[in-house]
Amino acid sequence: MAKRVVIVEDDHIQSIALKLLLGKTGYSPAAICTSGASAIKNILKEKPDLIVSDIYLSDDVDGIAVAHAIRKEMDTPIIFITGQSRYEFGQRIESFENCDLLGKPVTLDELQRAVSRVMCGNKS
């Protein structure tokens, strides 16, 4: 049985690409969310095995705020993705356990390595 992932991405093409890549790593989407507010609601409802989240989203709740909100309830591993400076965001996420940060565009090899790291409980 495929593990479940919530994809948080406001760009439709990026969300399709992530869905296809994650399918190749054995993950099936429980939900695809385009805003931080809908992500929090869906993550808490679906209780996925993994979260893959863009940092900048279509509302005022970014991916890091989503992570802070859900980590109050669960410790689901998170892979953040961004098209911006990984250094800037690396500092903002360093307090999270079981997370990683990838730059866009994400490749299958990068995603597979990140999934392995976060599912083993390693910090990025």
Side-chain angles (χ1 to χ4, degrees):
M1 176 182 230
K3 293 185 177 185
R4 296 163 22 95
V5 60
V6 169
I7 298 169
V8 185
E9 172 60 71
D10 58 355
D11 180 282
H12 183 69
I13 293 171
Q14 288 288 332
S15 66
I16 291 170
L18 286 169
K19 178 181 172 182
L20 294 171
L21 291 173
L22 286 159
K24 292 180 181 184
T25 63
Y27 284 84
S28 171
I32 298 175
C33 307
T34 59
S35 70
S38 70
I40 293 168
K41 180 177 127 187
N42 279 288
I43 291 165
L44 294 174
K45 176 184 167 199
E46 297 293 338
K47 299 186 181 356
D49 300 294
L50 175 67
I51 300 161
V52 177
S53 178
D54 191 6
I55 292 180
Y56 286 119
L57 300 169
S58 63
D59 60 0
D60 60 349
V61 181
D62 70 12
I64 296 171
V66 169
H68 280 291
I70 64 122
R71 285 290 170 92
K72 293 175 184 175
E73 303 290 326
M74 61 183 67
D75 194 29
T76 305
I78 303 169
I79 298 173
F80 294 103
I81 56 172
T82 185
Q84 306 300 316
S85 166
R86 290 176 59 191
Y87 175 76
E88 171 192 348
F89 295 116
Q91 292 180 323
R92 286 185 63 199
I93 68 167
E94 68 183 20
S95 65
F96 290 113
E97 295 291 329
N98 302 334
C99 74
D100 207 343
L101 175 64
L102 298 176
K104 289 182 183 178
V106 175
T107 67
L108 180 58
D109 287 341
E110 289 173 325
L111 186 60
Q112 287 173 323
R113 284 192 300 270
V115 168
S116 292
R117 284 190 296 267
V118 299
M119 297 311 284
C120 291
N122 295 333
K123 196 171 180 179
S124 65

